[in-house]
């Protein structure tokens, strides 16, 4: 059952973030104008503006970074990676350049390269939570689509634990952190831990339908069949649909019929 279920597992990545344009602290009028063009939804205009005003040989870190960011917004990942790399060469300790390039690799599904860039970002700032969050996501995707060595999943879980330790003092922790933890626990067959993680995710946001579905799966695999039935019902009422749901529900119905006909309680 877990093998069939695991095929639909997918972590939540990239939600926890910061404003990358805040790294551009410059009195340069051209770059300030480019930032405004990007903020007003015109990355193509920002690219044209920078390239017309700044010869390539004289472009600063800020100019290269803005070009990379503008290209990423346009969906041109090759050019975005190119310009983020140029920015990183100008400032080898630039966390934003490595982090943004890592995000480009994530989108392009070059997960091992994404992990490398998030490693660099973490070396620069060991308390930068988004890099841990996205590195965990990259590790899940990189190894989760292969044979899923348990050690790599443990590394990903440690990343998520680090995120939580960094953000504990914040007034609000999004459900994505706990959701990722729950998925990792589910993958490693740690069903009680998964239930606890999904409980925290539901506390953070009770409106996310998939949380109930995956918690229901954890309940099912831990043999809490009544709770599993409740969660699958809630997930369905909130609009979540999955090809695996009919199989879970079919088994739950058979269990219910057995209990009613024999009086024997099955599960916990």
């Amino acid at each position: 059952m877990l093998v069939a279920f695991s095929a639909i597992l997918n972590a939540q990545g990239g939600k926890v973030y910061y404003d990358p344009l805040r790294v551009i602290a410059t009195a340069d009028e051209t770059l300030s104008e480019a930032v405004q063009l990007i903020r007003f939804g015109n990355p193509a205009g920002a690219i044209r503006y920078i390239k017309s005003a700044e010869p390539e040989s004289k472009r600063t870190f800020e100019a290269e970074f803005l070009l990379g960011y503008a290209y990423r917004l346009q969906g041109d990942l090759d050019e975005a990676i190119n310009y983020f790399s140029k920015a990183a060469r100008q400032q080898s300790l630039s966390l934003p350049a490595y982090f943004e390039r890592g995000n480009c690799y994530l989108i392009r599904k070059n997960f091992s390269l994404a992990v490398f860039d998030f490693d660099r970002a973490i070396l620069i700032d060991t308390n930068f939570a988004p890099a841990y969050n996205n590195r965990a996501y990259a590790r899940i995707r990189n190894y989760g689509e292969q044979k899923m060595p348990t050690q790599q999943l443990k590394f990903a879980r440690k990343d998520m634990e680090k995120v939580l330790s960094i953000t504990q003092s914040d007034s609000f922790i999004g459900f994505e952190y706990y959701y990722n933890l729950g998925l990792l626990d589910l993958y490693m067959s740690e069903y009680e831990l998964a239930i606890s993680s999904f409980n925290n995710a539901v506390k953070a946001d009770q409106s996310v339908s998939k949380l109930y579905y995956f918690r229901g799966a954890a309940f099912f695999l831990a043999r809490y069949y009544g709770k599993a039935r409740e969660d699958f019902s809630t997930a369905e009422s909130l609009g979540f649909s999955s090809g695996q749901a009919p199989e879970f529900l079919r088994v739950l119905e058979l269990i219910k019929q057995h209990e009613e006909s024999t009086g024997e309680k099955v599960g916990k």
Side-chain angles (χ1 to χ4, degrees), residues 62-233:
E62 288 83 4
E64 303 287 23
F65 181 85
L66 281 176
L67 285 168
Y69 189 66
Y71 275 115
R72 185 169 82 82
L73 291 177
Q74 284 193 307
D76 190 338
L77 297 179
D78 288 336
E79 282 297 283
I81 289 169
N82 176 41
Y83 282 104
F84 286 137
S85 297
K86 289 181 178 180
R89 284 195 290 272
Q90 290 209 30
Q91 288 191 16
S92 60
L93 295 179
S94 169
L95 182 154
Y98 289 114
F99 183 68
E100 285 295 341
R101 190 173 69 177
N103 287 335
C104 290
Y105 285 131
L106 263 188
I107 297 168
R108 218 166 63 170
K109 299 184 179 180
N110 298 124
F111 301 120
S112 59
L113 290 176
V115 169
F116 176 80
D117 273 350
F118 297 138
D119 285 345
R120 296 292 294 270
I122 288 167
L123 283 173
I124 295 167
D125 183 352
T126 58
N127 287 315
F128 186 58
Y132 289 101
N133 182 73
N134 290 11
R135 187 172 70 175
Y137 175 73
R139 281 172 163 164
I140 293 167
R141 295 298 308 275
N142 189 30
Y143 299 97
E145 293 179 357
Q146 300 175 27
K147 292 185 179 180
M148 292 182 33
T150 301
Q151 190 63 35
Q152 292 301 327
L153 296 181
K154 289 180 178 178
F155 287 152
R157 197 182 197 287
K158 284 184 180 297
D159 277 345
M160 294 311 305
E161 289 173 348
K162 180 66 174 179
V163 171
L164 287 171
S165 71
I166 293 170
T167 56
Q168 282 297 336
S169 60
D170 291 355
S171 59
F172 175 76
I173 298 176
F175 79 88
E176 297 91 353
Y177 291 135
Y178 297 114
Y179 173 65
N180 283 347
L181 273 177
L183 293 180
L184 285 166
D185 294 331
L186 204 52
Y187 248 140
M188 293 186 288
S189 302
E190 296 285 355
Y191 305 131
E192 297 288 347
L193 283 176
I195 290 167
S196 177
S197 296
F198 289 129
N199 283 344
N200 285 327
V202 170
K203 287 178 184 176
D205 192 338
Q206 298 181 17
S207 67
V208 181
S209 59
K210 64 183 177 182
L211 298 180
Y212 297 95
Y213 175 79
F214 286 109
R215 188 175 66 177
F219 276 135
F220 179 91
L221 294 167
R223 302 180 67 230
Y224 295 103
Y225 298 126
K227 292 180 178 179
R229 190 178 295 109
E230 291 175 9
D231 268 359
F232 286 132
S233 175

Side-chain angles (χ1 to χ4, degrees), residues 232-253:
F232 286 132
S233 175
T234 301
E236 185 178 23
S237 70
L238 291 173
F240 187 87
S241 61
S242 167
Q244 298 292 318
E247 183 180 355
F248 280 122
L249 293 172
R250 180 181 63 82
V251 175
L252 286 171
E253 184 58 31

